[in-house]
Amino acid sequence: MGTDSSTLFGALFETLPARHVVPVLVPLPAPGPYSYAVPEGMHVEPGAVVQVPLGPRQVIGVVWDGENDGKLDPKKLRPITSAFDCPPLSKEMRRFIEWVAGYTLSPPGLVARMAIRAPAALDPEPMVEGLRYLGGEPERRTPARAKVLDIVDGDIPWTKAGLAHAAGVSTSVIDGLIRQGLFETVFLPPPPVVAKPDPDYSPPRIEGPQKEAAAEILELVRKGGYSASLIDGVTGSGKTEVYFEAIAETLRRGKQVLILLPEIALTASFLDRFHDRFGARPGEWHSDLAPRMREKVWRGIVTGDVQVVAGARSALFLPFENLGLIIVDEEHDPAYKQEDRVFYNARDMAVVRARIGDFPIVLVSATPSVESQVNAQAARYHLVHLPTRFGDAALPDLHLIDLRRHPPERGGFLSPILVRAIGKTVERGEQALLFLNRRGYAPLTLCRVCGHRFQCPQCSSWLVEHRFRNQIQCHQCGYSEPTPEACPECGTLDHLVACGPGVERIAEEVEKHFPDARTIVMSSDMLGGVKRLRLELEAITKGEADIVIGTQLVAKGHNFPLMTLVGIVDADLGLANGDPRAAERTFQLLSQVTGRAGRTGLKSHGLLQTYQPQHPVMQAIVSGDPGAFYEREITEREKAVLPPFGRLASIIVSADSRADAEIHARGLRAASPHVSGISVLGPAEAPLALVRGRHRFRLLVHGRRNSDMQAFMQAMMANGPKIRGSVQVQIDIDPQSFL
Ligand code: ADP
Ligand code: ZN
């Protein structure tokens, strides 16, 4: 009997059209899509953005590819709640999402989630109320009314505010005219989020080495199809102008452009510059965007109304209607790596997106990553070189200050040589930048009497003193407490000492030497957030500060016309941290910071304080021959079979208890398959052994260049211990951080 009825039902369901059941990717860490029934009368195709029930909730999902094999009973499946009125994610976009999920070993639903937005974004924008002049004269033609009537005619509708603004009157004047029946109400389509950029608005005169560089890139853009280029040019060589040419050409071809920037929230000057060139700002995409604006920009991107987007790494997952070019500016920047949920490097994934979408990508940097250098040498990337600064701007003169021979005064951190240079700069009415990549006052506080060190209660990191806020703070988890007066260990009052400098402490020293100078301290944790930082950057640009003390925040892309001295307080800081990219990173960061000086033709200097003047990184920076440094780095990486000559993947196992984390990590190690060319290092307790109360262990998987790391990791996970209790496992393919 049982068999009979199942055959019967089976036959019945086979006659139903397959589209009655569709796979839908939901924002969950599941290995694949879930099946949903399509209600009568609803039409969905792969890529459609839909709302579906998931447990007790409603979530947004994407209808995925793949045929229903007819075995699933639509009656037993929950139906799709609604389909949104927006274009479906393109086939390329769906392939890209699958590719990223497969490469990073992330659940595809979590990757897809980065591409879609909240439902409100999908509803069409409401019409805007407007006014149309019907003709006729008011009872009294006051001067204010005349101003309005002089600019209106019957054909062009206005918004009330827009008309008042254009006529230079208050809206009450217009209200008066409406009451007299001179205007009718009309409904206007909503204004665009951003105006259309005009490729021919204000093209520069491209000359010299720029001309050749632009011509090469333009040729690739015109030819169409996938190509990858690397623009390698010193700071201020005109790289931006060159890629603007590629953008202009792409716009002329009616395609969209994505510009990735590492620190978009702070690059107001970039947006202005884009405006100067194209007569409109690009759409912005970053975490500081107001929610309403986010929705509008998203919608504009999906419909193709927003033609150019400048965004942080997450912009890479926006479902452009017709993307035709990606620019990755400062391609070497570590900010392109996301280390949260889906671990990916936006620079590398951007190349994948261009390949799948079959369009050009341009990587840009003054200090390209070793990976990109190697790709250029192997002709996988087309190399465009800009060796000199544009116009009469010269690169700063760079010198090392050997701190062993010219030590700072007792209790200070600035060598007399640097102090003197700052004094001369300020006297000339120019600006000095002091760079130290450390927030707060001091990285460590201890008790002089008993030696107690202030440590975060939930992380293995010191509490950093922030004197401006009178707090000690953990830079891992944000934990903070008021700066104590007594030692909690021995109870002694007023014997706490600050060890080492942060930017706030350098500011104190500067204040002592130059009490009359106008100083600004800039770091990402200052009160007032991005708004204040933007205002301060503007103030610096206008010359309203003499001495700027900042973290890497000031290093990125800014153009300060009066800045002629850059002092690096601790050039050795990034070198000794066990990271295989430490030398490369230090070289990049220091080159970028010193590159802030002398961008407008004034003679400029860079002074680097170091205890290791012979270190290859220091020598590379002052020699003006970065080529030799890169050659050496590349040779060493090749010898050690490190990326890009070999492959790395890391696994971080964390748990509430140290034992649980360690046992699980050991289990994974034991479960690793034997594959020639791949080896597993660890598990070892992570350098950051405790974060937010979670104990961490690390495994590092090392493979040869052609190793199938993903298959290896998947086998490890499948054969390894079941994840239970508080245990969490994070996989990081191509890790950048080893903490
Ligand atoms: P990079 O991106 O390499 O740091 P930029 O593109 O910012 O360099 O150029 C440095 C400076 O030179 C900028 O102020 C820019 O406006 C100016 N510049 C570059 N190319 C041109 C050009 N062709 N015509 C006029 N000014 C230019
Ligand atoms: Zn902490």
Side-chain angles (χ1 to χ4, degrees):
M1 186 58 197
T3 13
D4 277 348
S5 67
S6 72
T7 334
L8 181 68
F9 278 122
L12 185 64
F13 293 140
E14 262 153 41
T15 62
L16 285 171
R19 68 176 169 80
H20 278 242
V21 174
V22 290
V24 175
L25 265 190
V26 290
L28 264 194
Y34 288 0
S35 294
Y36 283 90
V38 182
E40 206 61 51
M42 183 186 285
H43 290 278
V44 289
E45 52 182 308
V49 183
V50 293
Q51 191 170 28
V52 292
L54 186 70
R57 295 180 298 149
Q58 290 283 330
V59 298
I60 307 182
V62 187
V63 175
W64 217 241
D65 305 84
E67 280 297 302
N68 166 37
D69 59 9
K71 287 205 190 85
L72 287 166
D73 177 357
K75 288 212 187 79
K76 288 187 183 150
L77 292 170
R78 299 176 81 180
I80 292 174
T81 312
S82 58
F84 292 108
D85 169 30
C86 82
L89 300 195
S90 66
K91 196 167 170 198
E92 283 84 29
M93 193 63 204
R94 300 195 307 272
R95 273 192 59 207
F96 177 59
I97 289 171
E98 277 177 347
W99 202 97
V100 173
Y103 186 82
T104 61
L105 297 176
S106 309
L110 295 191
V111 181
R113 180 165 71 180
M114 301 195 285
I116 51 182
R117 279 288 109 202
L122 310 171
D123 296 329
E125 285 274 311
M127 299 283 266
V128 177
E129 213 178 284
L131 300 171
R132 201 173 67 85
Y133 179 51
L134 291 167
E137 276 292 314
E139 286 159 9
R140 245 172 348 100
R141 197 178 165 102
T142 62
R145 286 175 175 176
K147 279 196 212 161
V148 175
L149 296 176
D150 283 348
I151 60 171
V152 290
D153 65 41
D155 295 329
I156 304 164
W158 294 79
T159 61
K160 198 203 279 180
L163 181 52
H165 181 79
V169 300
S170 75
T171 50
S172 63
V173 175
I174 297 170
D175 286 332
L177 294 169
I178 296 171
R179 274 197 300 276
Q180 293 182 35
L182 268 63
F183 286 92
E184 66 171 347
T185 302
V186 290
F187 285 92
L188 312 172
V193 208
V194 283
K196 288 232 177 301
D198 173 0
D200 304 307
Y201 181 76
S202 175
R205 277 185 47 151
I206 298 276
E207 293 160 47
Q210 263 185 338
K211 193 166 181 170
E212 213 172 295
E216 286 177 47
I217 296 215
L218 278 182
E219 195 189 310
L220 292 169
V221 172
R222 293 207 179 101
K223 207 171 77 196
Y226 168 77
S227 64
S229 317
L230 172 64
I231 306 182
D232 173 1
V234 296
T235 51
S237 58
K239 299 184 291 296
T240 313
E241 294 304 339
V242 170
Y243 74 67
F244 276 179
E245 291 306 290
I247 293 173
E249 186 62 23
T250 309
L251 290 175
R252 283 184 207 110
R253 280 154 200 265
K255 299 214 163 132
Q256 288 169 295
V257 178
L258 168 63
I259 308 164
L260 291 177
L261 300 165
E263 200 77 56
I264 178 75
L266 287 175
T267 31
S269 60
F270 174 84
L271 303 175
D272 289 342
R273 187 159 166 200
F274 187 93
H275 185 283
D276 291 345
R277 169 67 179 81
F278 293 101
R281 285 181 150 223
E284 276 180 73
W285 190 263
H286 53 81
S287 55
D288 284 308
L289 224 52
R292 188 83 195 106
M293 193 58 183
R294 244 179 137 70
E295 289 169 6
K296 282 190 187 174
V297 173
W298 190 86
R299 198 175 179 85
I301 290 163
V302 180
T303 55
D305 290 340
V306 171
Q307 289 176 305
V308 180
V309 174
R313 61 177 183 236
S314 61
L316 181 61
F317 289 91
L318 289 168
F320 288 85
E321 192 242 352
N322 184 16
L323 187 56
L325 174 69
I326 301 179
I327 309 286
V328 185
D329 204 347
E330 313 284 6
E331 66 89 29
H332 63 276
D333 200 291
Y336 283 122
K337 181 68 194 274
Q338 168 156 311
E339 287 164 348
D340 176 30
R341 284 186 296 259
V342 178
F343 287 55
Y344 68 92
N345 185 323
R347 190 251 339 265
D348 298 344
M349 295 304 112
V351 175
V352 172
R353 183 153 188 192
R355 216 165 46 204
I356 292 176
D358 199 29
F359 56 75
I361 179 166
V362 181
L363 309 181
V364 184
S365 176
T367 50
S369 61
V370 166
E371 280 83 350
S372 295
Q373 298 267 17
V374 171
N375 279 328
Q377 286 180 357
R380 282 187 289 272
Y381 293 171
H382 186 91
L383 181 65
V384 177
H385 199 223
L386 290 168
T388 51
R389 279 199 163 170
F390 178 79
D392 27 84
L395 283 165
D397 259 338
L398 301 177
H399 294 282
L400 301 175
I401 300 177
D402 184 345
L403 287 177
R404 295 166 309 181
R405 288 174 47 205
H406 307 283
E409 280 172 29
R410 241 184 101 73
F413 300 92
L414 306 175
S415 153
I417 301 182
L418 182 53
V419 174
R420 231 174 294 135
I422 299 169
K424 283 199 193 131
T425 306
V426 175
E427 266 168 37
R428 280 197 303 268
E430 295 164 5
Q431 285 172 327
L433 168 68
L434 293 179
F435 174 79
L436 176 63
N437 215 4
R438 260 203 200 132
R439 295 181 278 143
Y441 184 83
L444 168 67
T445 306
L446 54 78
C447 170
R448 208 196 305 267
V449 176
C450 74
H452 173 77
R453 296 169 171 212
F454 287 81
Q455 198 179 341
C456 176
Q458 40 189 7
C459 304
S460 43
S461 56
W462 307 125
L463 291 174
V464 177
E465 183 183 353
H466 287 248
R467 217 160 257 199
F468 291 175
R469 298 173 176 202
N470 199 23
Q471 276 184 339
I472 47 177
Q473 204 183 71
C474 170
H475 285 179
Q476 282 310 317
C477 70
Y479 168 89
S480 68
E481 55 184 77
T483 307
E485 281 163 15
C487 172
E489 196 73 27
C490 67
T492 317
L493 274 172
D494 297 329
H495 273 76
L496 300 179
V497 283
C499 296
V503 280
E504 292 180 6
R505 196 167 191 182
I506 298 301
E508 199 178 78
E509 191 174 343
V510 164
E511 193 94 345
K512 212 177 69 204
H513 288 295
F514 308 101
D516 299 330
R518 298 165 300 172
T519 53
I520 289 188
V521 178
M522 294 201 61
S523 73
S524 59
D525 59 351
M526 301 305 273
L527 297 170
V530 170
K531 246 209 193 106
R532 162 152 172 211
L533 290 173
R534 279 191 172 177
L535 286 174
E536 292 193 324
L537 287 168
E538 221 177 276
I540 300 169
T541 309
K542 287 197 215 132
E544 290 165 13
D546 303 310
I547 305 170
V548 182
I549 300 137
T551 61
Q552 62 178 6
L553 204 84
V554 291
K556 291 184 184 177
H558 310 295
N559 205 345
F560 305 126
L562 284 175
M563 193 152 285
T564 56
L565 173 68
V566 171
I568 309 284
V569 176
D570 183 354
D572 310 329
L573 187 61
L575 284 176
N577 62 3
D579 179 336
R581 290 189 183 86
E584 180 192 345
R585 290 265 187 267
T586 303
F587 174 74
Q588 286 160 341
L589 186 59
L590 297 185
S591 305
Q592 201 170 12
V593 182
T594 50
R596 294 305 114 218
R599 308 225 352 159
T600 40
L602 293 171
K603 180 146 183 48
S604 64
H605 301 273
L607 294 173
L608 295 86
Q609 300 198 135
T610 175
Y611 285 100
Q612 313 171 60
Q614 294 314 318
H615 194 288
V617 169
M618 302 307 147
Q619 290 301 321
I621 290 171
V622 291
S623 70
D625 180 17
F629 169 74
Y630 275 113
E631 269 322 305
R632 207 176 139 270
E633 261 311 285
I634 290 171
T635 312
E636 283 190 5
R637 297 257 184 112
E638 194 163 12
K639 264 198 283 184
V641 200
L642 283 169
F645 302 100
R647 307 201 48 199
L648 292 176
S650 73
I651 304 174
I652 302 148
V653 180
S654 64
D656 288 346
S657 88
R658 190 177 183 280
D660 285 353
E662 182 164 17
I663 290 167
H664 194 96
R666 286 191 188 285
L668 282 176
R669 164 82 201 228
S672 51
H674 294 279
V675 175
S676 119
I678 301 188
S679 54
V680 181
L681 307 165
E685 189 161 57
L688 269 173
L690 187 68
V691 174
R692 291 170 206 271
R694 296 183 64 82
H695 296 262
R696 303 164 80 242
F697 276 79
R698 276 184 164 274
L699 292 141
L700 190 64
V701 182
H702 177 244
R704 285 202 287 260
R705 185 178 198 143
N706 54 4
S707 301
D708 188 345
M709 302 290 278
Q710 281 79 4
F712 184 89
M713 308 283 283
Q714 271 168 327
M716 233 170 135
M717 295 299 142
N719 306 335
K722 278 256 159 313
I723 294 177
R724 52 170 92 80
S726 66
V727 171
Q728 267 179 22
V729 178
Q730 286 170 335
I731 296 180
D732 186 358
I733 303 280
D734 307 331
Q736 301 262 349
S737 159
F738 299 85
L739 294 177

